[in-house]
Amino acid sequence: MPKQKCERVRDLWSQIDALMMGMNWTREDVNKPQIIIDDVQGDSHPGSYHLDILSEEASIGVYEAGGRPAKFHVTDICDGWAQGHEGMNFILCSRGIIADMVEIHASVIPWDGMLLLSGCDKSTPAHLMAAARMDIPTIHIPGGAMRSGPNNSTSGLAGPLSARKKKGHVDLAEMKNYQLTGCPSCGACQFMGTASTMQCMSEALGMALPGTALMPATMSEIRRMARSAGKQIMYLAEKGITARKILTKANFINAMKVHAAIGGSTNAFIHMPAIAHEVGIEIDPKEFDAIGQEIKYLTNIQPSGKYTAELFWFAGGVPMVQHLLRDQLDLDVMTVTGRPLGESLEILEKDGFFDRCHGYLKSYSIPLNDVIRTPEQSTKTGSIAVLEGNLASEGAVVKYAAVHPDMHQHIGPAMVFDSEEEAQAGIISGKIKPGSVVVIRYEGPKGSGMPEMFMTTDAIVYDETLNGTVAIVTDGRFSGATSGPCIGHVSPEAVDGGPIALVEDHDLIEINIPNRVLQIVGVNGEKKSPQEISEILAQRKENWTLPERPQKRGVLKRYSDSAVSAMKGAYMA
């Protein structure tokens, strides 16, 4: 049993014990190792709705191992509720606020260990950021995956459905059916969006128990997992295995390799550098790109593939991907098992994890290799590229695994909008023509909080005249469910006077994913030399002034005033 860290402060101030006993603690409890359990449970979205159940299971595990748990909560918010209005501006900002609140909770007394329960876009990276800051024994407990909708569908149907509704192409019956089946259970959305990606990144970083990312949220297995984590945190506390002993550069490199293999969300390019920053490690997004060119793309999961997230877990999940990549991973890195990654995977396999998962997959009559391919079967490498050029001197990102090969190289005239709302209205009204490059600016971290552009991308996907021919370039970000030629995180962003602020309608924009290029190559539909473009942009910069922007206040103002570049992690400096 580890010695209690709180003993010294309890001796300093006797009210600490009295306060604990005012919450049904016993005199025996206050002398036990004390574990903080912090979750994001709330009526905020299905990914967090059930976390109180998992928190209770984790508490039981702590009790069974001889500790005393204490529950704390910081409810997160959902991109889905925030679509199409100013609420979206607060989504990325919430990541830092959640991390701050967990840090505050974890600092009130010296805890012996910490369990963090989350499963969605901003809460999972927030919890990993907080774990890195506190550097105490910590285990992240992923909230698991939502069950699949009818016909292998996902909640992501909302995008094209909403776009069609605005054109009067959806009847009440179709809308009712989606509302009743789009989210058939609790858990993170059913595709390899940011929520699913970050659960996988937590496990790949060694911060979650092996095999726990994207467990179906309604299965009893996830409750047993949470209880096991409650027991395991006591072991980490006894051995003094803290978060920073796990969050090493080697583990980040391992996670980036897993990210390439699963076709993870572009938003990981924001979250992983932000997590690494908390432990003093710098991750250049180009590292993601370079690793992606070495790692085979193995999965067949929506939005880039066919199947849903729970089927990914049935196919063996992150451990299966790590098993297939074992010759390219550092298997000596530490994990929350208290053992190296390689040993942890061997124990998992001997325990029958893969046999049990694959048994579930057989219920669907789907071959294992159709969900997770072997490297030998894969013909593609990586999934995301970093583009640079005179339009993005500090870089931009694109998920090329979700882009049709015909659009990997494209030159088209720019149609420029100063907000996503304007762009989406332009698409719905028919203003955008095939072959165009839709430029959406002033949506970066400092501009408006870096909202995602899901409504706009799906408006294009629905329009048969535009789908597959129109690209989007923005200093904002995209949903993990996005497909198509969508280039985000353009840096420097527009409010800083980056080149994206200088683009004008009918400028010719070149996108060249194989050569990693994003640049302006012409004006008024006419190609120009690089020297001419440079001179034109310099002249535009001299005449540029920041347009009047909606005035921010409160937390959004604090975020925008201090946010670093999206390519560095968009965290508050």
Side-chain angles (χ1 to χ4, degrees), residues 33-56:
Q34 296 177 8
I35 306 297
I36 178 173
I37 300 180
D38 218 323
D39 63 45
V40 290
Q41 193 275 333
D43 290 344
S44 50
H45 54 89
S48 294
Y49 179 70
H50 63 306
L51 294 182
D52 55 338
I53 298 172
L54 300 186
S55 178
E56 184 60 31

Side-chain angles (χ1 to χ4, degrees), residues 390 411 508-510 519-523 526-528 533:
N390 61 24
I411 296 177
L508 292 179
I509 307 295
E510 179 186 12
Q519 61 184 353
I520 304 170
V521 295
V523 175
E526 180 183 344
K527 284 193 174 183
K528 300 286 185 180
I533 294 295

Side-chain angles (χ1 to χ4, degrees), residues 312-331:
F312 171 70
W313 188 78
F314 292 154
V318 171
M320 178 55 69
V321 172
Q322 292 171 321
H323 174 72
L324 294 171
L325 296 178
R326 60 191 179 278
D327 293 338
Q328 295 170 281
L329 298 178
D330 184 339
L331 300 178

Side-chain angles (χ1 to χ4, degrees), residues 42-51 78 81 120 143-144 146 183 185-189 217:
D43 290 344
S44 50
H45 54 89
S48 294
Y49 179 70
H50 63 306
L51 294 182
C78 179
W81 275 6
C120 282
M146 184 183 291
C183 298
S185 77
C186 55
C189 288

Side-chain angles (χ1 to χ4, degrees), residues 387-388 391 398 403 406-412 435-438 469-473 485-487 508-521:
L387 310 183
E388 292 182 318
L391 187 50
V398 60
V403 180
D406 290 348
M407 287 295 288
H408 281 207
Q409 298 182 65
H410 177 73
I411 296 177
S436 299
V437 176
V438 176
T469 71
V470 170
I472 297 178
V473 174
C486 302
I487 300 166
L508 292 179
I509 307 295
E510 179 186 12
I511 299 164
N512 190 318
I513 293 174
N515 292 334
R516 303 305 197 253
V517 169
L518 176 66
Q519 61 184 353
I520 304 170
V521 295

